[in-house]
Amino acid sequence: MNTESLWKDLLKEVDITLPVKQDKIRDNIVKSVYQTAEKIAAETVTLTTEKGIDRERKIDDVLTSRLWGFPIMFGLLLIVFWITIAGANYPSAFLAEKLFWIESRLTEIFIELNAPTWVHGFLVQGVYRVMSWVISVMLPPMAIFFPLFTLLEDAGYLPRVAFNLDRFFKKAGAHGKQALTMSMGFGCNAAGVIACRIIESPRERLIAVLTNVFVPCNGRFPTLIGLSAVFIGGSAALFVKSALATVAVACLVVFGVAVTLIVSRFLSSTLAKGVPSSFTLELPPFRKPQIGQVIVRSMLDRTLFVLTRAVIVAAPAGGIIWIMANISVGGTSALSFCAAWLDPFARHLGLDGFILMAFILGLPANEIVFPILIMGYLQGTALMELESLEALRHLLVDQHGWTWLTALCTMLFSLCHWPCGTTLLTIRREQHSWFWMFMAAVIPTAAGVVLCAIVTYFVRSLGLV
Amino acid sequence: MKHKEISLIAENDTIIALAGNPNTGKSTLFNMLTGLRQHTGNWPGKTVFQAKGSFIYKGKKYVLVDLPGTYSLLASSVEEKIARDFICFGRPDATVVVLDATCLERNLNLALQVMEISERIIVCINLIDEARRKHLDVDTGKLSETLGMPVVATAARNGEGLAELLKVISEVVAGNCRPKPKTVRYSPEIEKAVAKLKPKIKNLLGDQVNPRWIALRLLEGDTSIEPYIKKIMKNKVRKAKLREVLA
Amino acid sequence: MKEMSLKNMPEGSAGLVKRITTQGMVRRRLMDLGLVPGSRVEVVRRSPLGDPVAYKIRGAIIALREEETDRVIVKPFI
């Protein structure tokens, strides 16, 4: 007897035994279980007083109300970003100063040791410099943003966001839980892609996976924050400046959500066609977050994890960039040569060759896009103590002809381009498909190219720049 | 992914599964018992695949598997299938069903379903502090009697009841405490059909799985258990052949 | 009061589930959530845009879209 025939026999046996249709039996079973549960609960649980149950309901009445639901959501977004941006200023400057101080000590040591110039250049000006950039730019905002976000998460606010936004997602042919996976994407798109497992229907899960990159992850926030700080607010006081930068970043995030919905809509009528599946979402009771736990956990699990990953990727990338900046191809460095080659195309997108190249070389991790750009502009030779925004502004505007359009297009392209290498590999693993991994890179890039080109031509034709 | 993780557990480890609805503080309990620090967010579905950790109690090592939070075990979603398959076919030494004390009626639904699969179960009424805050009184003694299971009330966040829980787990694993689950009775026609199928299933599959539970799944037309059943059949056939050859 | 679909129940009202008029996966999921004939369901609140709606089903608050609640027939309490 083989198993196949044994199984078939068993099924036949079941068929004969069936008293009624199988659907009926299932209904019956579920009903009986629930009724038994109901009976047992009624016998064992007693409510001693009616007070106190409505408190949670009242919180929800406000958080998801017609009038306040959306303003509160946007308000919380603003508050979280503002605390992050304003709070990160000083520690960032402090870290940069200390790390560059160490760099000059390292340089002294290398001179002392009579090390060849290229060893010093590769290790200190390449590897170390990019690493310290990444740490000083990323660590403070992450150390602030992740705990704040974890507080909201632990309190139970995220499902309310999904509840408020589901209508939009439904219209886009997507699942409301996509709002949860997008929230995870704020931390890291790879984490957001993994979180897509909570969406049961494969079609809607695919849409959520392919569009997660439109949420700016932590690796891209510093770029967005830095550029808004340089280009918005001008010479206003620091407080006003960070407030304006906050609004700019928050608007960009809202714009990213809009792009997500549009692209989801497009996907659900083309590549991921099908009927919407059923939607169920539990709104768990609010719990008081354990603040101490939240801070420790979000620092260790998230901040250090993401930072370590960034540093591991940034270190070799820094070395490679240094080599590219210092190898000559017919008189110009390899870096300039590639940038010059990309330049004509990049101009159509409101960018320049160096910016586009920085995005391409930043494939391993988005964190290093901006450091690469700076290194490209400086050719790794000039001094690069860009601890102040003013110095950054000088480099971009005065030396490399940036306008507000360049900044806007860089931010838009940062929001809409291929996901980082880790995210792509995660998509490949989650979807078991090279094709969808490829599409996950093509779709946002196409969106970014089209968007930047339209904005550039529109602005230029109106003569605004 | 999941199967690889299961196979990482050594043969002679004592395995305890943690099952429960979403948001019952299951992950918090897991963290408290194992000392691991799995992140616990307050949104449904965050334990998407099971976490694994271990703890030592009275010199014995226990491996704790945190299953995804589910409302039921009827395998209509990925999480439900993972949780169900592990309890049924992963054959843990005991399963702790974590229930939310503030929402017992809904949570008991899952407990009753787990009780159908396995006998070695401990019911853990968690968030008992929340229940007290909401003026809900849970009669654990009566619940234990009604279910035929050991019931422990805990507040995992501040460690309340965990010592008792560990003691009960060790007793169930050692066989000093034998739960006698009082499972759900269905309509007479279903019960009749189950009674008819049970001996045949037992004959085919042996003691490895609960024949009543298999009979119910087959009757309701749940085909997702097919690969497991076939695997058990294959093993039995192989053993039978071996015996033939030896004889 | 006459039976009606859960979708049409006003905010704040409650009733008993009579039957579910769909088959397959959606029916399964609804029943797994506790929407079985005889269970009490309460309309807790609408989302800002009107859909989905949050219901209290067996002690938990669960949001459902109108496509699903249209298929749940309820007898409202007066």
Side-chain angles (χ1 to χ4, degrees):
Chain A
M1 283 283 247
N2 64 19
T3 42
E4 196 56 46
S5 63
L6 279 172
W7 170 252
K8 284 219 173 94
D9 285 351
L10 183 60
L11 284 189
K12 236 181 258 161
E13 199 75 49
V14 172
D15 234 24
I16 304 166
T17 330
L18 275 182
V20 281
K21 275 207 335 220
Q22 285 189 316
D23 286 352
K24 271 254 165 64
I25 296 185
R26 197 195 149 91
D27 282 10
N28 236 311
I29 288 176
V30 178
K31 200 175 154 184
S32 300
V33 176
Y34 262 117
Q35 281 171 349
T36 313
E38 200 177 319
K39 197 169 141 267
I40 297 175
E43 287 167 7
T44 47
V45 184
T46 40
L47 184 62
T48 46
T49 143
E50 285 284 345
K51 281 187 309 191
I53 288 183
D54 287 340
R55 195 181 59 107
E56 263 156 23
R57 213 171 252 209
K58 287 205 180 101
I59 303 176
D60 256 343
D61 280 342
V62 180
L63 289 183
T64 63
S65 79
R66 194 156 306 193
L67 189 60
W68 291 107
F70 290 112
I72 288 177
M73 236 162 56
F74 190 69
L76 280 172
L77 194 71
L78 278 179
I79 291 171
V80 169
F81 286 155
W82 187 73
I83 297 177
T84 307
I85 292 173
N89 270 328
Y90 297 102
S92 267
F94 175 80
L95 275 175
E97 192 190 314
K98 289 298 159 211
L99 289 167
F100 283 119
W101 181 83
I102 295 175
E103 187 187 310
S104 26
R105 295 296 85 74
L106 283 174
T107 303
E108 281 169 17
I109 293 170
F110 274 84
I111 292 170
E112 196 85 11
L113 291 173
N114 257 328
T117 330
W118 69 267
V119 173
H120 170 254
F122 179 79
L123 288 178
V124 178
Q125 291 182 325
V127 175
Y128 179 82
R129 193 171 275 182
V130 170
M131 263 169 54
S132 46
W133 245 97
V134 168
I135 293 174
S136 63
V137 170
M138 280 185 66
L139 181 60
M142 274 199 312
I144 300 171
F145 179 79
F146 277 147
L148 286 177
F149 185 78
T150 313
L151 278 179
L152 283 181
E153 190 192 342
D154 278 16
Y157 183 64
L158 297 190
R160 272 76 189 176
V161 174
F163 180 63
N164 285 344
L165 291 176
D166 179 62
R167 185 71 196 273
F168 292 121
F169 285 102
K170 186 170 123 184
K171 282 209 164 147
H175 200 286
K177 281 187 191 167
Q178 194 170 331
L180 292 177
T181 64
M182 286 164 69
S183 304
M184 290 293 111
F186 275 125
C188 166
N189 289 130
V193 167
I194 293 176
C196 290
R197 293 180 186 174
I198 63 170
I199 300 173
E200 281 134 28
S201 129
R203 191 186 74 87
E204 277 111 329
R205 191 185 318 138
L206 179 64
I207 292 176
V209 164
L210 293 180
T211 55
N212 195 269
V213 71
F214 293 120
V215 181
C217 66
N218 189 73
R220 288 180 281 164
F221 266 122
T223 308
L224 302 180
I225 292 171
L227 286 179
S228 346
V230 168
F231 283 88
I232 297 169
S235 54
L238 192 61
F239 174 82
V240 181
K241 230 174 143 156
S242 57
L244 285 171
T246 304
V247 175
V249 174
C251 287
L252 212 60
V253 167
V254 172
F255 179 74
V257 174
V259 173
T260 303
L261 289 166
I262 294 167
V263 174
S264 298
R265 176 82 196 84
F266 169 75
L267 286 173
S268 69
S269 55
T270 51
L271 287 168
K273 247 190 201 148
V275 273
S277 71
S278 73
F279 167 83
T280 56
L281 172 77
E282 184 183 353
L283 301 176
F286 287 106
R287 302 238 163 90
K288 211 173 104 200
Q290 296 153 291
I291 294 176
Q293 278 263 332
V294 163
I295 292 172
V296 175
R297 277 347 327 144
S298 55
M299 285 300 279
L300 294 181
D301 295 351
R302 294 190 161 162
T303 310
L304 282 185
F305 174 78
V306 177
L307 189 70
T308 313
R309 191 180 72 92
V311 168
I312 289 172
V313 176
I320 291 168
I321 307 301
W322 185 86
I323 292 173
M324 281 183 73
N326 285 277
I327 288 179
S328 285
V329 181
T332 51
S333 72
L335 205 60
S336 303
F337 183 80
C338 294
W341 186 76
L342 287 169
D343 202 65
F345 176 67
R347 293 284 166 192
H348 288 290
L349 309 182
L351 311 172
D352 69 24
F354 279 103
I355 305 174
L356 190 56
M357 192 179 54
F359 276 115
I360 293 171
L361 292 174
L363 176 70
N366 279 303
E367 293 82 350
I368 59 174
V369 169
F370 217 59
I372 292 175
L373 177 61
I374 306 291
M375 282 192 102
Y377 279 160
L378 293 169
Q379 290 296 313
T381 46
L383 272 174
M384 197 191 61
E385 293 194 16
L386 282 170
E387 75 275 27
S388 75
L389 284 176
E390 208 32 63
L392 186 60
R393 190 188 162 78
H394 177 68
L395 175 74
L396 297 179
V397 178
D398 301 339
Q399 293 181 354
H400 289 273
W402 277 47
T403 61
W404 62 268
L405 178 66
T406 323
L408 178 65
C409 287
T410 306
M411 290 202 267
L412 285 177
F413 200 71
S414 174
L415 192 68
C416 311
H417 74 293
W418 53 87
C420 74
T422 315
T423 306
L424 284 173
L425 289 176
T426 310
I427 293 172
R428 149 87 192 94
R429 206 184 58 215
E430 292 292 310
Q431 293 292 324
H432 309 287
S433 151
W434 291 103
F435 174 73
W436 289 121
M437 184 190 95
F438 180 70
M439 290 315 283
V442 168
I443 292 165
T445 307
V449 167
V450 171
L451 201 63
C452 286
I454 290 174
V455 168
T456 304
Y457 278 88
F458 183 72
V459 170
R460 281 191 191 145
S461 67
L462 289 180
L464 293 173
V465 174
Chain B
M1 185 96 192
K2 178 197 128 223
H3 294 284
K4 210 162 74 198
E5 281 185 11
I6 290 173
S7 63
L8 284 176
I9 301 170
E11 279 278 318
N12 47 4
D13 278 347
T14 303
I15 302 162
I16 312 291
L18 267 186
N21 280 26
N23 281 296
T24 49
K26 215 160 48 68
S27 298
T28 311
L29 183 69
F30 176 86
N31 289 346
M32 291 297 278
L33 289 178
T34 58
L36 278 180
R37 290 288 171 254
Q38 182 186 204
H39 176 67
T40 58
N42 190 4
W43 47 286
K46 105 211 113 68
T47 309
V48 203
F49 51 98
Q50 62 211 25
K52 213 178 81 223
S54 64
F55 63 90
I56 304 222
Y57 181 71
K58 293 201 172 155
K60 189 172 163 64
K61 188 183 166 204
Y62 295 83
V63 175
L64 197 63
V65 178
D66 188 13
L67 299 174
T70 58
Y71 294 116
S72 92
L73 287 182
L74 298 169
S76 45
S77 73
V78 187
E79 293 103 320
E80 285 176 19
K81 206 168 142 23
I82 292 175
R84 186 203 69 183
D85 289 353
F86 191 81
I87 297 170
C88 183
F89 305 105
R91 301 190 64 68
D93 294 276
T95 302
V96 178
V97 187
V98 186
L99 309 183
D100 176 351
T102 65
C103 196
L104 209 56
E105 179 192 334
R106 158 171 298 280
N107 285 237
L108 273 170
N109 172 54
L110 181 77
L112 290 168
Q113 291 183 34
V114 177
M115 281 159 58
E116 280 188 336
I117 302 179
S118 162
E119 291 198 340
R120 285 193 274 188
I121 296 171
I122 298 102
V123 175
C124 168
I125 309 281
N126 195 29
L127 299 172
I128 197 78
D129 49 342
E130 287 275 319
R132 275 197 294 262
R133 205 172 55 75
K134 290 186 176 176
H135 306 281
L136 284 165
D137 182 52
V138 182
D139 187 343
T140 49
K142 184 153 188 200
L143 191 61
S144 172
E145 199 182 298
T146 318
L147 296 173
M149 303 262 118
V151 173
V152 184
T154 61
R157 274 191 297 188
N158 50 40
E160 184 186 336
L162 294 188
E164 169 76 6
L165 181 65
L166 286 173
K167 196 178 127 236
V168 176
I169 291 175
S170 72
E171 281 172 2
V172 170
V173 168
N176 300 335
C177 164
R178 286 185 191 279
K180 289 267 171 291
K182 291 183 185 155
T183 48
V184 179
R185 293 290 116 186
Y186 298 102
S187 63
E189 50 191 355
I190 294 181
E191 288 296 341
K192 222 171 97 191
V194 169
K196 229 169 160 183
L197 282 176
K198 234 167 90 172
K200 284 173 184 132
I201 291 167
K202 198 161 185 175
N203 192 22
L204 262 175
L205 303 178
D207 294 329
Q208 282 210 29
V209 283
N210 184 335
R212 176 181 165 83
W213 186 76
I214 299 285
L216 284 166
R217 298 293 77 78
L218 290 174
L219 281 170
E220 68 169 5
D222 179 353
T223 48
S224 65
I225 53 171
E226 183 182 330
Y228 295 96
I229 303 286
K230 282 188 174 165
K231 213 170 135 198
I232 298 170
M233 284 174 171
K234 210 182 225 159
N235 284 338
K236 267 207 95 190
V237 170
R238 201 186 298 140
K239 270 185 202 151
K241 273 195 185 139
L242 200 67
R243 236 176 278 134
E244 241 168 64
V245 173
L246 289 174
Chain C
M1 229 173 151
K2 256 177 69 185
E3 290 179 2
M4 53 158 66
S5 84
L6 187 53
K7 178 185 139 186
N8 297 325
M9 298 252 296
E11 219 168 316
S13 66
L16 284 182
V17 175
K18 282 290 162 195
R19 58 184 182 278
I20 293 170
T21 61
T22 178
Q23 295 300 323
M25 209 54 184
V26 179
R27 182 192 186 85
R28 280 186 147 206
R29 290 215 56 77
L30 289 174
M31 291 192 73
D32 286 354
L33 287 172
L35 280 174
V36 295
S39 34
R40 190 195 136 92
V41 56
E42 184 188 333
V43 188
V44 178
R45 78 174 54 76
R46 288 182 186 281
S47 61
L49 299 169
D51 183 42
V53 177
Y55 299 93
K56 184 163 188 170
I57 306 163
R58 295 183 184 270
I61 309 286
I62 293 178
L64 298 170
R65 286 181 180 169
E66 57 186 27
E67 280 76 4
E68 276 82 49
T69 49
D70 197 24
R71 305 308 187 88
V72 181
I73 306 297
V74 179
K75 186 167 170 55
F77 300 134
I78 306 141

